[in-house]
Amino acid sequence: MTNPKPMSRAEAQEQTRELILQTAEELFIANGFHATTVAQIASKAVRTQGSIYGNFASKDALCLEVIRRRYLQSFTDLGMSLATANSLDAKLDLLTEWWETLTSQHDLTFLVAEYMLAAWRDPAQRASMLEYVSLIKSVVGSIITDNFGAADDGSLLEMTDIATISVLALGSGLAVGRATGIASVTESSFGFTETIRLWKTKLQDSADASR
């Protein structure tokens, strides 16, 4: 029997980073941002605090990466689903199903809200957070405009940006509303998808008028 190939330094570092992320996600989701410490993450992962700081500049940076991975995976899954739909109603049905699943994860919603309020007070972390928000905006914008392609008219570009911000802001509020019991699952999903429908219709009408 041949001996297994030794793990390279890069592979070992990547394995450690993944273990830290998985452990941090478990603790952040269970306990929240403030109640979770780097020492707790290191202990549960059976790693040193130094190994955590060797991969992530701070607890804030680690939490942002946990959030980024969770949401980007969710958006990736959504994009693959939407690519199979051949009508607006079919797309909105998929969006409704996706939204109800995403916003059922109340602990994740609370974690995002807690993290964002904390990170906003740190200029460096705020810049990283805004970079991530810009990425989410581009994903949301592509969902809104996928019926008629990218806008090339100045006024249409501006309207698309407003639509994207409106949907993102509303979605954030509705997610918190569902998590806190202010909005039911039906109210939350209807408000989210109907807003997308209205903006897509408005943008489509504007795109048609500009041709």
Side-chain angles (χ1 to χ4, degrees):
M1 179 181 294
T2 59
N3 293 325
K5 181 181 177 182
M7 187 178 297
S8 69
R9 182 185 177 114
E11 290 172 334
Q13 288 177 332
E14 181 58 31
Q15 186 179 77
T16 295
R17 188 177 190 276
E18 183 63 28
L19 175 62
I20 290 169
L21 279 168
Q22 291 176 0
T23 306
E25 178 177 338
E26 180 181 340
L27 290 175
F28 280 135
I29 293 296
N31 304 323
F33 175 72
H34 289 297
T36 300
T37 67
V38 172
Q40 289 170 341
I41 297 170
S43 177
K44 189 170 181 62
V46 196
R47 293 293 187 274
T48 64
Q49 292 187 54
S51 69
I52 293 179
Y53 287 120
N55 284 276
F56 302 95
S58 64
K59 185 179 85 167
D60 298 55
L62 175 53
C63 187
L64 178 59
E65 182 61 15
V66 166
I67 292 169
R68 188 190 70 83
R69 293 206 324 169
R70 283 288 291 267
Y71 278 99
L72 289 185
Q73 182 59 56
S74 180
F75 275 112
T76 298
D77 293 343
L78 173 63
M80 293 175 64
S81 295
L82 291 177
T84 66
N86 54 16
S87 69
L88 177 57
D89 285 340
K91 290 177 186 293
L92 291 174
D93 286 344
L94 288 170
L95 274 167
T96 297
E97 181 180 353
W98 170 79
W99 180 254
E100 290 179 356
T101 299
L102 181 67
T103 58
S104 69
Q105 303 170 52
H106 297 167
D107 289 338
L108 178 60
T109 299
F110 288 132
L111 174 63
V112 173
E114 188 181 3
Y115 162 78
M116 292 184 75
L117 289 173
W120 192 256
R121 294 177 173 83
D122 180 343
Q125 197 58 31
R126 182 166 68 238
S128 296
M129 181 180 67
L130 290 175
E131 183 179 344
Y132 163 69
V133 170
S134 294
L135 177 60
I136 296 299
K137 282 175 61 179
S138 69
V139 174
V140 173
S142 67
I143 292 172
I144 295 171
T145 61
D146 69 345
N147 272 5
F148 53 91
D152 53 12
D153 177 77
S155 60
L156 189 55
L157 281 169
E158 182 178 2
M159 188 184 299
T160 300
D161 193 47
I162 293 171
T164 300
I165 293 170
S166 297
V167 170
L168 185 57
L170 176 69
S172 299
L174 287 172
V176 172
R178 181 181 175 189
T180 56
I182 295 173
S184 69
V185 57
T186 302
E187 291 166 339
S188 174
S189 61
F190 179 80
F192 181 70
T193 55
E194 193 62 17
T195 298
I196 291 178
R197 181 196 296 275
L198 292 171
W199 272 114
K200 287 174 76 72
T201 300
K202 185 177 181 63
L203 287 165
Q204 184 66 66
D205 290 344
S206 296
D208 291 342
S210 67
R211 293 192 179 102

